[in-house]
Amino acid sequence: MGQKYLIDTNVISHLFADRLPEIGKQFLADVINNDFVNSVAVEIEVLTYHETPEKMPLIEEFMQLATVLPQLALVNLRCAGARLNAVVTCTKALSVSELG
């Protein structure tokens, strides 16, 4: 099993906007031809925000080539929940301290 790469949203958007340098395109082609992964977050970003709406069918096809790491969805939800709890706790602490 070879090395896998997670391709970031910016790389994908630069690819479809034709802003990658030639060496970057060559490297990305090698990565895509082997095996690459994406997180749920990258998948959501790429499928909902892009500069080239006319290329959406190609972008969707490209995204289907990747292995999406589903366990990251659970991690993201737990982190968001922890962050939300921290903000709520912090907000409650501020409210209580303002009363005293």
Side-chain angles (χ1 to χ4, degrees):
M1 184 166 158
Q3 186 170 9
K4 291 186 179 184
Y5 292 90
L6 188 144
I7 301 176
D8 183 66
T9 304
N10 291 329
V11 173
I12 297 168
S13 66
H14 280 65
L15 172 66
F16 285 97
D18 200 29
R19 291 193 307 238
L20 282 181
E22 195 57 41
I23 193 166
K25 290 177 188 176
Q26 291 170 0
F27 178 77
L28 193 55
D30 290 340
V31 169
I32 293 166
N33 288 330
N34 289 307
D35 196 10
F36 69 101
V37 297
N38 273 321
S39 69
V40 172
V42 168
E43 185 176 39
I44 291 169
E45 289 174 342
V46 168
L47 295 177
T48 58
Y49 177 79
H50 47 82
E51 299 174 19
T52 52
E54 69 280 1
K55 294 184 179 177
M56 195 60 193
L58 289 173
I59 294 169
E60 290 171 350
E61 184 178 333
F62 174 83
M63 293 305 293
Q64 289 176 2
L65 298 173
T67 300
V68 178
L69 303 174
Q71 69 272 20
L72 288 182
L74 181 58
V75 171
N76 290 345
L77 291 174
R78 286 187 180 166
C79 290
R83 183 173 180 208
L84 179 60
N85 287 335
V87 170
V88 169
T89 302
C90 183
T91 304
K92 286 181 182 176
L94 287 173
S95 298
V96 170
S97 68
E98 289 173 2
L99 294 175

